[in-house]
Each structure stands twice: as C-alpha cells, then as structure tokens.
Amino acid sequence: MYIAQAYKGLSDSWRYVVGLLAIFFVWQFIGGIPLIIALLVEADSLAVLGTGDMGAMADVLGSNTLLFFMLLTFVIGLIGLLAYVTLVHKQKITQLTTSRKKIDFKRVFFAFAIWALISTAFIFVDITLAPEDYEFNFNLERFVVLAIIAVLMIPLQTSMEEYYMRGYMMQGLGILAKNRWVPLLVTSLLFGIMHIFNPEVAELGYGILVFYIGTGFFLGILTLMDEGLELALGFHAANNLTAALLVTADWTAFQVDSIYRDVSEPVLGWDVLVPVFVIYPILLYIFSKKYKWTDWKDRLTGEVPSEETFLALENENADVQRTS
C-alpha cells in the first residue's frame, strides 16, 4: 500500500501538479544560485555555466568545490520537497518513504552494502583486465576532501532523486491513475530522460539511456514490490558514491579526484547492458527471497484503492490491533 500512503495526507490533484513544478523550480533554479554566485566571484567565469562544460567549471572552481555546489542543488531541492510535503500535503515524511510504521534503515543499509560490494568488484575486475584503460589518480589531500563531501552529500543527492521520482511523483501519479503500472512506467522513463544532458550521453550516444531507463525500472520495481523507498535509497546512494570515489573520467558527470581515472576512449559496451539485463534481475531475486515478496503482478500493475476504501481498511486494521 505504498502509493496509497498519499491518502494519509491531503492528496488533491492540484497539490501534486503545483508541487511537481514548485519543487523542480526550487531544485533546479533556487538550488543553482550558490553555484552562480561562486562563478560570479571569479571574474568572467559565469559564461562557463552556459556551456555546460564540467571540465571548464572545475578548472575555475576546483573539482571538489564544483562537486560541492552541484550536490548543494540537490540538498536545497530535498529541503524544498520535504517542506512542501509537510506543509501543503500535511503528510509525514515516513508516509512518503514507506508503508511501514517507521523507516526501515536496515533495508537502506543492506541495499547500500550489496550494491557497493558488487559495483566495486566490477570496477576492480575491469581495472585488472584492462589496466591500460586506467590511470592511478590518487592524491591523499584532495581525496580526503572529496570523500568528506561525497559521504556527506551524495546520499542527500540520491535521496532527492528518489523522493522526487519514486516517492512524490509515484504516489501522485498512482492515486491519479488508480493503478501501479502507470507511475512505474512514467517515473522510469522520466528518470532516464532526466539524465539526457549528462556528459556521458554526449560521448556514448543515446544508447546509454538503456542503462538509465533500465535502472529507473529496477528502482521502481524495488519500491513497489517492497512497499517503500528504503531499498532504492540505499542502492542509489551506493551507486553514486562508489562511482565518485573510485573512478572518474573527463566525460562523466562526476569529474573529481577519484582514486582512478578512466583514460580509455568512451565506448558503449557490455558494462551498460550487463547490469540491466543480468545483475538487476539477480538482485531482484535476492531481495525477493530475503523479504518474501509475493504477488508480483498485482504489486506492479494492480489497482490502487480509492481513498475511502484505503482509509476504511486502515481503520479496520487499527480496530483489529486494538482488540488483539
């Protein structure tokens, strides 16, 4: 009943329409003001922002400073989102996060740990098999600064994406469409499209969107099958954190002082398809066994109950619990 948690707050359609636009504005525009100010401080540097050249902006501000301001946009967006949900929808953050009585942080940490181990293993296997494609880039002083920024802020960055796409948007679309497949489809496609301006797309072509859209579907399935965002939050944080700390390249979104630098020619290869078509299904199987998921068809494509039906069921369950 994750989508139906929206009924525990004010769930009018207009609140979601206004909210999606207002939160996006705070995230993308208000959140970008500190970066603009930082570039303004540097004489004649604001023009670099319009080019979207991450390397040029890193040259102006320094890679760690640029990363901080990039991640700050997501932190400001997350604050705006949680404030809007609390003040306008009168919905508790727990209800935006999960259908459980409280947020299950064990799920967050489990998903984080399993994907951090797998993605780290993939990176080092690739380094071992093709050492000529990597350059050892470790600098203790710069890496420590990177690690502090990344550990503190990347989980907030990924949480913003999850709360916006698979939390707020999924609940809003779900109660509007009265089913689960529409929000799963729409949020997964939008998650991929939202990465279309990443430098990876410019280098590798639109084929890389298979990975982004596939990841969107994977995270959406996690959310609906597990009736909460916890697994998606942990997975997404692990994915971005390991990427930032371990490997950078001149054509990726995170151009930072990672341990290794990928110096190979960017090629759309197996590393894009294997996670989507091999690793993600295996992970879904592991999670399904651990958390005893059943009734896949209904949870992914079934109907969302009406507000009256859901609240009546909630009251009935509460009465049963009081008498037991």
Side-chain angles (χ1 to χ4, degrees):
M1 293 292 183
Y2 171 66
I3 289 176
Q5 295 302 305
Y7 293 136
K8 293 183 178 179
L10 302 176
S11 56
D12 312 84
S13 299
W14 70 264
R15 296 177 195 271
Y16 282 99
V17 173
V18 173
L20 288 170
L21 296 174
I23 294 164
F24 187 81
F25 178 81
V26 171
W27 173 17
Q28 294 295 318
F29 295 96
I30 304 299
I33 290 176
L35 175 58
I36 293 173
I37 293 173
L39 289 169
L40 276 172
V41 171
E42 301 294 330
D44 301 322
S45 297
L46 189 58
V48 175
L49 185 64
T51 67
D53 188 334
M54 304 301 295
M57 283 189 277
D59 290 339
V60 171
L61 298 176
S63 60
N64 285 328
T65 303
L66 176 61
L67 177 67
F68 171 80
F69 283 113
M70 286 175 57
L71 297 177
L72 186 59
T73 65
F74 291 86
V75 176
I76 292 172
L78 181 61
I79 293 171
L81 186 154
L82 298 181
Y84 186 90
V85 167
T86 302
L87 297 174
V88 178
H89 288 275
K90 308 298 183 183
Q91 184 186 20
K92 295 179 180 178
I93 304 306
T94 300
Q95 294 160 357
L96 181 65
T97 308
T98 185
S99 60
R100 286 167 274 277
K101 292 182 179 179
K102 60 182 181 179
I103 299 171
D104 188 348
F105 287 100
K106 288 184 178 179
R107 277 174 153 84
V108 178
F109 294 133
F110 177 72
F112 181 95
I114 194 170
W115 187 242
L117 288 171
I118 291 173
S119 57
T120 299
F122 266 108
I123 289 169
F124 281 104
V125 165
D126 198 45
I127 292 172
T128 301
L129 295 176
E132 69 280 2
D133 290 343
Y134 295 89
E135 180 181 275
F136 191 62
N137 189 57
F138 183 72
N139 178 290
L140 180 59
E141 183 179 347
R142 292 199 296 264
F143 181 78
V144 168
V145 176
L146 167 64
I148 292 172
I149 294 171
V151 170
L152 291 178
M153 298 186 73
I154 283 180
L156 297 175
Q157 175 242 324
T158 55
S159 293
M160 172 56 196
E161 292 188 13
E162 290 307 311
Y163 274 110
Y164 187 69
M165 302 294 296
R166 274 161 290 276
Y168 189 71
M169 189 180 294
M170 183 167 278
Q171 286 188 347
L173 285 172
I175 62 173
L176 180 64
K178 292 294 186 291
N179 62 52
R180 295 177 174 89
W181 70 265
V182 167
L184 174 60
L185 178 64
V186 172
T187 58
S188 301
L189 291 174
L190 285 179
F191 182 75
I193 293 170
M194 147 183 173
H195 290 83
I196 202 167
F197 296 111
N198 279 25
E200 293 94 332
V201 177
E203 290 293 333
L204 298 173
Y206 292 116
I208 188 68
L209 293 179
V210 172
F211 172 75
Y212 291 126
I213 294 173
T215 301
F217 272 106
F218 170 71
L219 293 170
I221 291 169
L222 283 185
T223 301
L224 291 178
M225 289 304 302
D226 200 50
E227 298 288 3
L229 279 178
E230 292 98 331
L231 296 178
L233 288 168
F235 177 95
H236 201 162
N239 186 76
N240 287 24
L241 191 58
T242 54
L245 294 179
L246 296 181
V247 179
T248 188
D250 294 335
W251 45 271
T252 60
F254 285 154
Q255 296 179 28
V256 291
D257 297 305
S258 307
I259 296 175
Y260 287 92
R261 178 177 295 277
D262 186 341
V263 294
S264 64
E265 285 295 320
V267 177
L268 191 67
W270 64 270
D271 53 328
V272 171
L273 301 177
V274 168
V276 174
F277 296 106
V278 179
I279 305 302
Y280 291 170
I282 293 173
L283 283 176
L284 287 173
Y285 177 79
I286 293 171
F287 287 134
S288 70
K289 291 300 181 183
K290 180 173 177 61
Y291 298 113
K292 299 178 173 57
W293 295 345
T294 58
D295 200 9
W296 287 67
K297 182 180 179 180
D298 186 61
R299 290 198 190 191
L300 297 180
T301 65
E303 293 183 356
V304 173
S306 66
E307 183 173 4
E308 294 76 13
T309 301
F310 173 74
L311 294 178
L313 183 60
E314 286 283 296
N315 291 332
E316 182 181 324
N317 289 337
D319 291 340
V320 170
Q321 289 176 3
R322 280 195 294 267
T323 57
S324 61

